[in-house]
Amino acid sequence: MNSPLTDPLPAAFYPASTPADLNRADFGADFRWGAAAAAYQTEGAWKTHGKGRSIWDDFTDRNGRISRNEDGRIACDFYHRYETDLDLAKAMGMSAFRFSASWARVLPNGTGTANRHGIDFYDRLVDACLERGLEPWLTVYHWDLPSALQARGGWTNRRVVSWLSEYAQVLAHHLGDRVQHWLVLNEPMVFVGAGHMLGLHAPGRRSLGAFLAAAHHAALAQAEGGRTLRALLPASARIGTTFSCSQLTPRNPGNARDEAATRRTDALLNRFFVEPALGLGYPLAELPVVAWLLQRYHKSGDDQLLKFDFDFWGIQNYTREVVRSAPWLPPHWAALVPAKQRGVPTSDMGWEVYPESIYHMLKQYAAYPNAPQLVITESGAAFPDELRRGRVPDAARRAYLQAAIGQVRRAQLEGVNVGGYFAWALTDNFEWAQGYAPRFGLIHVDYETQQRTIKDSGLWYREFLGGTAPVAGRVESLLKRGGE
Ligand code: FCB
């Protein structure tokens, strides 16, 4: 069903290694097909019905932190429009929908008294998924820490481990009878690194010490969150967590310094959170400075506490990176060579268009002894879109989606146990520091009118998934508009 594209695109969009024919059925009847979203990026309703503030409400208020000073106050208004978005997901033939809960909507002060209205919202959302035959996949934490907890040090305070666990308990208590798939953290290396070392994401810190404290506490919370959920949920529940990852290539293959820098970067970007969960400890042989600094936060007995046998790992991949040695750049003395300098095709995020990365990362994670099932919980690409008379002809995103799915199949054909694919994202949304400009959705959102239009990539996904479900009249018209 690999329909040819009309618009000429660079060869990177069509890796020769992609299997020629893609059929949903080949992936297996149990393979989950869906798309993903996250609370702050889509919900809006930033202070509706008793929601507390989060670090993203605060960070977006700080002038100059976000492109065009945009924020997520309204976003896609998913809080009020979730039924339409779920109708569209269903009509596209998806079997699952991944979303996150907003901690400050559920617990406005981070701990203590729960907000009945917040819980009601997730109750309704879960029911709405189930009514449509969409399996809800719930991310406990997708980056929006309550401000009340940030005031107490946030991720740099070790007590965050018990705060997260309390929050997970509230979710499990209210939703555990219906939600079977749980993801503890979304991409810890990104919220810890971009938030505490690079200052690009909330809470906007730039400190190696804060980074390492937050990293250790996130790794502990990842495992403790897993234990908390397993203790409370029915035995049939499946508990996972997600990892960001990129295939890494040395700038000059064969150059010993670039090769070593690539190994150190791999330890930091791809291995840092998965290995402690497996009981292997942090990959510190490659990161001696981190080893030395981490001692401050690492207590005796922590090695045990870092372990948790997840039922699946969520693998999230967008690109590959090229690495060079950078002896002045702590903590791993390496730098990423920007794709623009390499003259390769890039997406709107400035990331290299390189769908084969997903195959290599599946192989890398599957190679761990005792690796659980892998699920692609995010994969996608931002390209400039144009809404032309009710159509979004996004050939580049469509080609990327096809190629990425093909690379997942390639890994599966080589024996990797991969159980699902979630496109990032169901709809366009607020892309953190970049605001609304990068569009990742399979569904276009007009932020003035909140009108949804399925893009050509979404129509391709629908065709691939065999989306033939009967849909409500208003969704029928949205689909038609997209298809004309
Ligand atoms: C991932 C995030 C997700 C989205 C994509 C583009 O790192 O998990 O929220 O922003 O990148």
Side-chain angles (χ1 to χ4, degrees):
M1 200 171 284
N2 220 342
S3 34
L5 293 164
T6 43
D7 318 30
L9 291 167
F13 286 83
Y14 317 95
S17 52
T18 304
D21 287 309
L22 289 179
N23 279 298
R24 176 183 187 153
D26 293 339
F27 289 77
D30 283 346
F31 197 92
R32 281 15 184 233
W33 293 101
Y40 189 75
Q41 296 179 277
T42 59
E43 283 179 6
W46 67 297
K47 57 175 184 180
T48 304
H49 297 149
K51 176 184 164 291
R53 285 183 75 93
S54 83
I55 55 174
W56 273 95
D57 293 313
D58 298 338
F59 192 65
T60 52
D61 274 359
R62 282 155 71 179
N63 214 0
R65 293 310 186 106
I66 313 292
S67 295
R68 296 163 305 280
N69 283 324
E70 289 169 343
D71 59 50
R73 290 180 179 201
I74 298 173
C76 312
D77 196 27
F78 180 78
Y79 187 79
H80 298 108
R81 294 169 194 267
Y82 65 93
E83 290 183 286
T84 304
D85 290 346
L86 295 181
D87 282 344
L88 289 169
K90 175 65 188 162
M92 288 159 85
M94 297 182 197
S95 58
F97 175 59
R98 174 180 172 227
F99 60 94
S100 75
S102 152
W103 190 337
R105 202 182 286 292
V106 173
L107 295 167
N109 296 312
T111 62
T113 313
N115 171 26
R116 189 64 252 174
H117 298 295
I119 292 170
D120 283 352
F121 171 64
Y122 295 110
D123 252 331
R124 282 183 274 130
L125 179 54
V126 165
D127 286 344
C129 287
L130 295 171
E131 277 159 22
R132 290 164 179 77
L134 293 165
E135 239 176 21
W137 285 51
L138 173 60
T139 311
V140 173
Y141 184 73
H142 200 129
W143 304 359
D144 45 357
L145 190 79
S147 305
L149 299 180
Q150 185 60 36
R152 296 158 76 184
W155 285 98
T156 65
N157 183 340
R158 192 177 166 111
R159 292 182 63 192
V160 72
V161 178
S162 53
W163 298 333
L164 183 99
S165 165
E166 179 185 334
Y167 163 49
Q169 281 176 42
V170 175
L171 294 179
H173 178 70
H174 290 282
L175 308 172
D177 56 337
R178 285 156 294 154
V179 175
Q180 285 282 325
H181 293 86
W182 295 74
L183 303 103
V184 180
L185 297 183
N186 184 71
E187 297 188 351
M189 186 45 79
V190 177
F191 75 78
V192 162
H196 299 80
M197 190 155 74
L198 304 174
L200 298 171
H201 282 185
R205 298 203 53 192
R206 282 199 188 96
S207 146
L208 187 53
F211 165 68
L212 290 173
H216 186 50
H217 301 147
L220 287 167
Q222 168 182 278
E224 186 65 22
R227 277 186 290 276
T228 302
L229 292 173
R230 187 158 289 156
L232 293 174
L233 294 171
S236 58
R238 296 180 72 220
I239 299 159
T241 197
T242 74
F243 304 112
S244 50
C245 58
S246 299
Q247 182 193 345
L248 302 175
T249 313
R251 179 181 55 175
N252 294 310
N255 172 301
R257 288 192 308 156
D258 285 348
E259 298 270 1
T262 304
R263 284 193 294 278
R264 293 193 297 272
T265 306
D266 187 43
L268 193 67
L269 296 190
N270 295 329
R271 300 168 52 198
F272 200 82
F273 285 96
V274 68
E275 295 192 5
L278 281 171
L280 302 171
Y282 294 110
L284 296 178
E286 287 79 5
L287 302 167
V289 174
V290 172
W292 184 67
L293 292 169
L294 209 58
Q295 289 173 42
R296 213 174 132 194
Y297 311 103
H298 201 287
K299 299 198 173 155
S300 80
D302 279 3
D303 284 338
Q304 275 304 316
L305 293 176
L306 288 164
K307 286 205 261 183
F308 184 71
D309 57 329
F310 287 101
D311 299 309
F312 66 94
W313 292 337
I315 302 300
Q316 313 202 151
N317 172 263
Y318 288 92
T319 187
R320 73 160 168 180
E321 298 289 356
V322 170
V323 184
R324 69 186 166 90
S325 153
W328 60 91
L329 259 189
H332 57 310
W333 325 113
L336 306 179
V337 185
K340 294 227 157 87
Q341 279 175 26
R342 293 187 268 122
V344 290
T346 54
S347 73
D348 226 13
M349 297 292 280
W351 297 338
E352 180 177 1
V353 173
Y354 197 78
E356 291 180 78
S357 180
I358 205 167
Y359 159 82
H360 291 284
M361 296 323 295
L362 284 169
K363 295 284 279 192
Q364 179 167 335
Y365 282 84
Y368 283 108
N370 304 327
Q373 184 178 63
L374 308 180
V375 176
I376 299 297
T377 41
E378 284 184 24
S379 156
F383 295 107
D385 285 327
E386 223 189 305
L387 179 61
R388 282 188 228 147
R389 277 175 279 120
R391 230 194 107 189
V392 182
D394 60 337
R397 186 176 297 95
R398 192 175 92 179
Y400 185 87
L401 181 69
Q402 286 177 281
I405 292 173
Q407 293 295 320
V408 173
R409 180 71 187 134
R410 180 180 167 207
Q412 205 189 34
L413 283 168
E414 292 178 22
V416 173
N417 176 9
V418 49
Y421 182 90
F422 290 78
W424 182 269
L426 180 64
T427 62
D428 291 334
N429 60 71
F430 177 75
E431 179 46 39
W432 310 112
Q434 271 89 348
Y436 292 98
R439 290 178 176 270
F440 277 93
L442 300 178
I443 299 172
H444 179 274
V445 175
D446 176 334
Y447 294 109
E448 298 289 312
T449 61
Q450 292 293 347
Q451 170 75 38
R452 270 64 167 157
T453 306
I454 301 193
K455 302 178 191 178
D456 282 4
S457 57
L459 294 173
W460 176 80
Y461 201 40
R462 178 177 194 240
E463 185 188 327
F464 171 71
L465 297 181
T468 52
V471 288
R474 85 202 128 105
V475 172
E476 189 65 59
S477 71
L478 287 174
L479 283 169
K480 276 218 193 87
R481 211 167 297 130
E484 266 160 21

